[in-house]
Amino acid sequence: MEDILPGDSEKWQWLEKKTRSFFGSRSFCEIRTPILEPTELFTRSIGETTDIVHKEMYTFKDRGERSMTMRPEMTASVARSVLEHGLLKTSKAPALYYTGPMFRAERPQAGRKRQFHQIGAELINLTREGEPYYADFLIIKALADFLEHLRVKNVRFRLNDLTLINGAQAETVRAQLRAYFENHKNALDPDSVYRLDKNVLRIFDSKIPETRALIRNVPWDAISPYSADFKALVSSLELLCPGVTFELDRTLVRGLDYYTGVVFEVASGALGAQDALAGGGRYDRLYEELGGPATPCTGFSIGMERLLMVLDKNSPSVHEQMNAKKIYVLAMVDDVLVQNDVRNAAMRLCEQGFYPIVPFEVMNLSLGEHLKRAHKAGAAFAVIRGDTEAQKNGWTLKNLNTREQTFAGSEKELFSMLTLKTEESHLL
Ligand code: HAM
């Protein structure tokens, strides 16, 4: 579990801000749920035999001897909350998003933490007559658009359809899968032999090379062929998300039991061994299993640590993008009123999406020294209020890269100049 320190916390704020503006503009509403939930919520939804429930949950007895768990993911918490507060009565199809910390006791390595953060989105109860993959299309497109909005490049989606394996015909399909693995039982690792009886799909989580070879050779077309609707979904995505690669992968079953239809994962070449940036899929039975009405749903979650790792390698990086909007705001007179003007202007700049830096306790520095500091902090502009500016109720605006200097006769003029100039920057 990691601290997020100054220098890094700004990047997190940047990403959180981007998340809010993206999902807010697409009519998703934010939901925040508690970190602690009754353990049963996760065992029932994620599944007893999954690695998450079996090996990775932080579970303990609280003071009332109730078994509690620190959420390993939020889809189940969102379902619990939507049902508990009757949100389906006030909205036929809520679209929700969230950000926050999740907890899994995995073996830590680069990109794999015990406390990590996710951005997630869920489309709840959204259906369209005759188009079973309509909401899946919207959610996958939203994920691709969000990554594009953040300028994440070389995005690869892997998709699979679990409709037959986990849907109405599940028993037949799973029996066929079991028969296939039974025939090759000698080549299976011991964990997979255990899973064969408990939950055949969990064999697909195995990393053992011999088992992986068996998994690759499952006769899928005989056991569970792709439907025409699923193939149409993939074609629409290919058409409408240029620059994104979509691959079909029959071995993708995902490590959570609640999926009943399309599942997908996003990988990024910029990540190392832990290359899954995001994952999601359709889960149509979760709400019923938690005691609610039949509620078809689809959603995804993105790992924020991994996303920031990818963004760091991007050009322009998050820091470069932030620096283009970083403004050093400076009072060059030792006067309380002027300093107040500067602080108020900085606050409004912040509200407008800029990143102001207001130096304090530095009245003894010369303008040149201030500008050096501003440059070092990565600011693109300095906004200065000295005696002359204060008399005219205006501001001097200095581009710290070109050294060009202009005068703005009012705060309004200053803001529109800054907006124009930062928009011209190739970094934004
Ligand atoms: P998940 O695939 O378990 O899905 O997690 C989503 C993402 O969270 C992963 O792709 C990864 O980027 C990140 N992540 C997971 N574990 C760790 C870890 N230990 N350290 C760092 N990052 C990690 C879900 O959680 C589902 N709730 C997705 C979903 C939403 N399905 C439907 N709706």
Side-chain angles (χ1 to χ4, degrees):
M1 300 190 187
E2 288 189 339
D3 298 312
I4 299 171
L5 301 174
D8 271 338
S9 56
E10 289 79 6
K11 284 197 281 185
W12 285 81
Q13 288 174 4
W14 177 89
L15 181 54
E16 283 156 7
K17 208 159 157 186
K18 289 270 177 195
T19 304
R20 284 184 220 305
S21 49
F22 181 86
F23 290 101
S25 68
R26 295 199 170 204
S27 307
F28 281 82
C29 295
E30 191 187 4
I31 183 162
R32 301 185 190 202
T33 63
I35 282 165
L36 279 186
E37 295 276 0
T39 304
E40 201 199 347
L41 174 65
F42 301 115
T43 47
R44 278 171 70 178
S45 55
I46 298 173
E48 297 267 10
T49 52
T50 57
D51 277 353
I52 296 180
V53 169
H54 204 50
K55 304 182 192 158
E56 296 168 2
M57 292 205 306
Y58 284 97
T59 295
F60 58 90
K61 288 262 167 69
D62 73 358
R63 298 164 80 90
E65 289 298 304
R66 287 164 294 229
S67 181
M68 303 299 289
T69 294
M70 291 165 78
R71 65 182 185 204
E73 62 107 45
M74 240 180 96
T75 307
S77 307
V78 170
R80 196 260 318 129
S81 179
V82 167
L83 291 174
E84 191 175 319
H85 300 284
L87 296 193
L88 286 163
K89 290 183 195 118
T90 44
S91 165
K92 196 184 156 291
L96 301 174
Y97 80 95
Y98 51 83
T99 62
M102 313 291 155
F103 303 84
R104 297 183 193 174
E106 297 188 76
R107 190 147 15 101
Q109 61 182 82
R112 198 206 272 158
K113 309 284 170 217
R114 293 186 157 184
Q115 172 175 332
F116 60 98
H117 298 74
Q118 286 185 342
I119 296 166
E122 315 285 348
L123 284 178
I124 300 154
N125 209 28
L126 182 72
T127 53
R128 187 184 258 189
E129 193 66 34
E131 287 183 57
Y133 294 94
Y134 174 64
D136 301 303
F137 171 78
L138 291 185
I139 204 85
I140 297 172
K141 175 90 168 63
L143 175 54
D145 288 352
F146 181 56
L147 294 174
E148 193 195 340
H149 175 65
L150 298 176
R151 302 179 175 207
V152 178
K153 293 175 197 91
N154 302 324
V155 178
R156 269 183 300 120
F157 273 75
R158 287 187 300 139
L159 295 113
N160 195 11
D161 193 358
L162 304 181
T163 307
L164 291 180
I165 300 175
N166 273 349
Q169 296 98 317
E171 272 319 305
T172 325
V173 177
R174 282 167 180 247
Q176 283 174 292
L177 273 178
R178 261 196 305 275
Y180 167 80
F181 285 113
E182 283 284 355
N183 276 339
H184 300 85
K185 208 168 173 176
N186 291 344
L188 281 179
D189 60 281
D191 255 1
S192 298
V193 173
Y194 167 79
R195 288 162 171 169
L196 188 55
D197 290 333
K198 291 280 177 197
N199 181 352
V200 66
L201 267 205
R202 299 272 63 96
I203 292 181
F204 290 80
D205 300 338
S206 172
K207 304 274 185 299
I208 309 289
E210 289 77 17
T211 307
R212 298 269 1 133
L214 284 182
I215 290 168
R216 272 194 299 279
N217 291 331
V218 171
W220 285 114
D221 286 336
I223 293 180
S224 154
Y226 284 138
S227 68
D229 281 331
F230 175 71
K231 288 183 188 156
L233 163 76
V234 179
S235 306
S236 317
L237 287 168
E238 279 169 342
L239 194 68
L240 293 165
C241 305
V244 179
T245 311
F246 293 95
E247 291 163 10
L248 302 190
D249 182 349
R250 300 276 5 195
T251 67
L252 179 74
V253 296
R254 309 254 311 123
L256 305 110
D257 275 352
Y258 51 58
Y259 294 113
T260 55
V262 176
V263 286
F264 51 90
E265 268 184 16
V266 180
S268 162
L271 293 169
Q274 300 297 319
D275 70 350
L277 185 60
R282 168 162 294 278
Y283 52 100
D284 286 351
R285 286 197 303 265
L286 180 61
Y287 281 61
E288 274 172 288
E289 274 157 22
L290 298 177
T295 313
C297 298
T298 183
F300 64 78
S301 313
I302 311 171
M304 290 177 82
E305 281 78 3
R306 295 187 193 174
L307 183 53
L308 284 168
M309 277 165 76
V310 173
L311 291 170
D312 269 344
K313 292 185 189 155
N314 255 11
S315 178
S317 68
V318 176
H319 265 305
E320 285 169 325
Q321 291 186 55
M322 287 178 79
N323 286 351
K325 293 189 118 185
K326 224 178 240 177
I327 321 282
Y328 195 84
V329 195
L330 177 63
M332 274 311 286
V333 265
D334 195 2
D335 176 303
V336 178
L337 289 180
V338 173
Q339 279 165 11
N340 259 348
D341 289 344
V342 161
R343 274 195 285 269
N344 287 335
M347 194 166 63
R348 281 189 284 274
L349 279 170
C350 202
E351 283 166 0
Q352 306 261 330
F354 292 97
Y355 302 99
I357 306 169
V358 187
F360 58 149
E361 292 182 50
V362 283
M363 283 321 298
N364 54 342
L365 296 187
S366 70
L367 179 61
E369 284 167 323
H370 271 297
L371 294 182
K372 256 192 214 147
R373 279 183 166 222
H375 198 66
K376 204 165 161 218
F381 296 94
V383 164
I384 304 154
R385 183 95 146 183
D387 272 331
T388 329
E389 289 87 358
Q391 273 162 25
K392 295 184 187 161
N393 198 24
W395 303 82
T396 294
L397 173 61
K398 196 169 176 75
N399 184 321
L400 293 170
N401 295 314
T402 62
R403 309 248 142 215
E404 176 201 3
Q405 190 165 304
T406 31
F407 181 78
S410 66
E411 194 179 285
K412 202 168 161 202
E413 198 183 337
L414 172 74
F415 279 29
S416 54
M417 277 179 170
L418 273 172
T419 307
L420 259 177
K421 285 180 189 293
T422 47
E423 269 167 13
E424 279 165 11
S425 161
H426 68 286
L427 295 172
L428 293 167

